[in-house]
Structures are given as C-alpha cells and as structure tokens.
Amino acid sequence: MGNIIYNKRLTEEYYLMKVEEKNNAEMGQFYMLRAWDNEPLLSRPVSIFDRDDDSITFLYKIIGKGTKLMSTLKSGDNIICQGPQGSSFPKVKGKIAMIGGGVGIAPLYLAAKKLMEDKDNEIDIFFSLRGVEILREELSSVSNNLILKTNERVVGLVDADKYDYIFTCGPEGLMKDVYLGAKDKKAIVYVSLERRMACGIGICYGCTCKTKSGNKLTCKDGPVFLAEEVFIDE
Ligand SMILES: Cc1cc2nc3c(=O)[nH]c(=O)nc-3n(C[C@H](O)[C@H](O)[C@H](O)COP(=O)(O)OP(=O)(O)OC[C@H]3O[C@@H](n4cnc5c(N)ncnc54)[C@H](O)[C@@H]3O)c2cc1C
C-alpha cells in the first residue's frame, strides 16, 4: 500500500501521481495499481515514469473506470502498488533514440534519465501526442535533443542509421512503423508492448503474445522485447 504524495493534473486527460513506495525498480518495468475495493475487478498496469529508492511516479491517461478513479485520489490517500513487474530496458551505450506516442512516453522518460547518467551516451527523444503538449521541460532535462509534436507524427523524422539503439512505446501502429523504419538499418529496436492484462504476474496467461521463440507473457517476459522478436509477421 503506497501513500500518495501528489496526484497532479497535467491536462484534462493526463495525470502525474507520485507514491511513497520503497523499491529497486528498473527502467521499463510497471506496477499493477488498485485504489478501489471490488469494482472494477482488476488492477491496472501502469509503467514507472520516474523513481527513487522511496517513491515511484506514474504518468497516466484517463481511459475508463480505473484511471478515472485514480484521477480522484488526493495527497495522503492510499493506493495498492503491486510490483515492480516485468522486464526492463537494457543498459545500452551509444546514440539512442526514444520514440514515444501519448502515454507511451512514460517508460521512456525513466530510460532516458538513467541512460543520460553515462555522459558518453547521446539521447534524442521524439514524442508525439494528440491535443495539448505536456512534459516539455522534464523531457528536455533527460535528453540531448527533444522533438515534441502535437497532432503530428514523429516516426518519419528518425533515421535509424544514425542511432545504435531505438526504444519505443506507444500505440501498436507507431511501434510497428518504428520497427519497419529500422529494418536493415543500424539501430537495434526495443519495444515496450501494451497488452490487456488481468493478473499482471504471469498466472492468467491473458497477455500472451506471439514471439519468434514461441508464445510469451507480456507481463512477465515483457513488456520490453526486442522488436524483431515480437513483430514477426511484418
Ligand atoms: C505494461 C503496461 C504498461 C502501461 N503503462 C501505462 C502508463 O504508464 N500510463 C497509462 O496511462 N497507461 C498505461 N498502460 C495502459 C493502462 O493499463 C490502461 O490504460 C488502463 O488499464 C485502462 O484502465 P481503465 O479502467 O481506465 O479503462 P477500461 O477501458 O475501463 O479498462 C478495461 C480493461 O481493459 C484493460 N485495458 C484497457 N486499455 C488497456 C491498454 N491500453 N493496455 C492494457 N490494458 C488495457 C484494463 O486493464 C481493464 O482490464 C499500460 C499498459 C500495460 C500493459
């Protein structure tokens, strides 16, 4: 059970919630969040946007009942945080592009922040979202270059030959376009998949995804995968 430090409204849809929670979480992992008793039945998976040893910050977008309930929480309220769960982004070195769409920017912020600790790394963030701009200052502080577009695509702006690695998270279409744009080019692409999850801890098999090496669980084997492992029919 985590005590909420703040639950800040960024726009009508986007919220940033910081929770007291001792952790040793890695970039790319997520928590199953729950701030209600019976309804909705399932907890909701949300990526780690930022962390320190005593707290986790989540960036979330209101979609339906669960996230709407989350948005009503106040500083001092409690929320059940089950995690950290899942795989993490690898600690790579070199020139790295982070390509995020909408709330998919959440795990990329922490990845950029962590990888920027190595001064030899160069990080470019490409972030597109619909509607109002968010997080410009925060994303600038964890990147060498920030390209932030509202209501415009960013994938076409990335030359995969100029990067050693690309990390991407967001709508499935965006991640597939990133993968296809980097095919036969220099960059190695990692994706953070979003699948509907019920348990989030590898018991229910509800989030099974097809990979080159057979069926895998997005919650346990993922959410971070090599793109070429999961986009096998492209
Ligand atoms: C690994 C992972 C990380 C995620 N990280 C974030 C994040 O950092 N910020 C954020 O805002 N959202 C994130 N999501 C998506 C988030 O889990 C859904 O938006 C949320 O569950 C919607 O719940 P709801 O009750 O508001 O909506 P409803 O539509 O009422 O949800 C109904 C059911 O569908 C599931 N569901 C709906 N949309 C999604 C979705 N896109 N992905 C997975 N399950 C879904 C819910 O878990 C729930 O069981 C992540 C999803 C996954 C799998």
Side-chain angles (χ1 to χ4, degrees), residues 162-183:
K162 290 198 175 144
Y163 293 94
D164 300 299
Y165 296 93
I166 297 176
F167 292 178
T168 182
C169 185
E172 188 97 354
L174 174 140
M175 293 195 287
K176 276 188 185 164
D177 285 350
V178 171
Y179 167 64
L180 292 173
K183 233 176 173 179

Side-chain angles (χ1 to χ4, degrees), residues 184-198:
D184 305 321
K185 294 200 172 175
K186 183 175 152 200
I188 296 168
V189 181
Y190 285 88
V191 297
S192 176
L193 286 190
E194 249 195 38
R195 287 286 184 282
R196 293 191 168 231
M197 284 178 186

Side-chain angles (χ1 to χ4, degrees), residues 26-40:
E26 303 276 353
M27 53 182 173
Q29 292 190 296
F30 67 96
Y31 277 77
M32 294 300 286
L33 300 184
R34 185 178 188 88
W36 47 86
D37 291 328
N38 303 318
E39 185 57 37

Side-chain angles (χ1 to χ4, degrees), residues 44-45 47 59-61 63-67 103 194-196:
R44 301 307 197 224
S47 299
L59 170 73
Y60 65 94
K61 181 179 175 184
I63 299 289
K65 207 166 185 177
T67 45
V103 86
E194 249 195 38
R195 287 286 184 282
R196 293 191 168 231

Side-chain angles (χ1 to χ4, degrees), residues 71-99:
S71 74
T72 64
L73 299 172
K74 304 266 176 302
S75 159
D77 288 347
N78 287 317
I79 183 163
I80 297 169
C81 305
Q82 190 183 14
Q85 317 280 6
S87 62
S88 49
F89 284 113
K91 291 182 185 74
V92 296
K93 285 176 184 290
K95 192 165 158 110
I96 304 139
M98 308 274 172
I99 310 177

